[in-house]
Amino acid sequence: MTDEQLMECAKEAAGFSYSPYSNFAVGAALLTEEGTLYTGCNIENASYGATNCAERTAIFKAVSEGNRKLQKIAVAAGDGSTAYPCGICLQVMLEFMPEGIVILEENGELVRYRLTELLPKGFTL
Ligand code: THU
């Protein structure tokens, strides 16, 4: 699967977003090292802190099905803006894809970041 296709999957996943509080839809599409695809969307809650971001939804789906080796993740905002992953999601990415690539869209163009560029000094044990 190409990065462009992965981004299309992320955009499609944003369509499933449950975000009545922020009205900000996010979708993510994740590829494992084996090439399995997982998608996710943000899922909000009336108790705001219970909200789960799109990236973590996709990552938790993969890990909960036995896939811990993750290769790359595309993230898309439903409104076409650039959805930079939040700090919590970056920390979760560090756990399962420390060498991974984050694919975003900036001004309509696909851009690729190493996770270590977005989180240069992440916490590890
Ligand atoms: N959100 C994500 O899904 N991913 C991010 O990395 C940033 C924020 C969601 C959480 C919340 O539902 C909405 O965007 C507004 O913060």
Side-chain angles (χ1 to χ4, degrees), residues 1-33:
M1 167 167 300
T2 66
D3 291 353
E4 285 77 9
Q5 287 169 326
L6 200 63
M7 180 54 78
E8 283 312 305
C9 292
K11 289 180 183 176
E12 201 176 312
F16 295 117
S17 166
Y18 176 72
S19 45
Y21 303 103
S22 72
N23 287 311
F24 190 74
V26 186
L30 174 69
L31 211 57
T32 68
E33 280 188 5

Side-chain angles (χ1 to χ4, degrees), residues 53-114:
C53 290
E55 299 92 315
R56 278 177 289 138
T57 302
I59 293 169
F60 293 158
K61 281 171 70 177
V63 173
S64 65
E65 292 185 19
N67 286 296
R68 295 181 186 168
K69 292 185 176 174
L70 313 179
Q71 191 189 137
K72 49 187 171 181
I73 186 166
V75 188
D79 67 1
S81 62
T82 307
Y84 294 102
C86 78
I88 297 175
C89 288
L90 291 173
Q91 184 67 33
V92 171
M93 288 177 201
L94 183 62
E95 193 75 25
F96 299 108
M97 47 187 295
E99 322 256 279
I101 301 293
V102 179
I103 302 161
L104 306 171
E105 244 181 30
E106 288 175 359
N107 305 314
E109 260 187 48
L110 219 62
V111 285
R112 298 162 182 83
Y113 293 99
R114 293 192 178 283

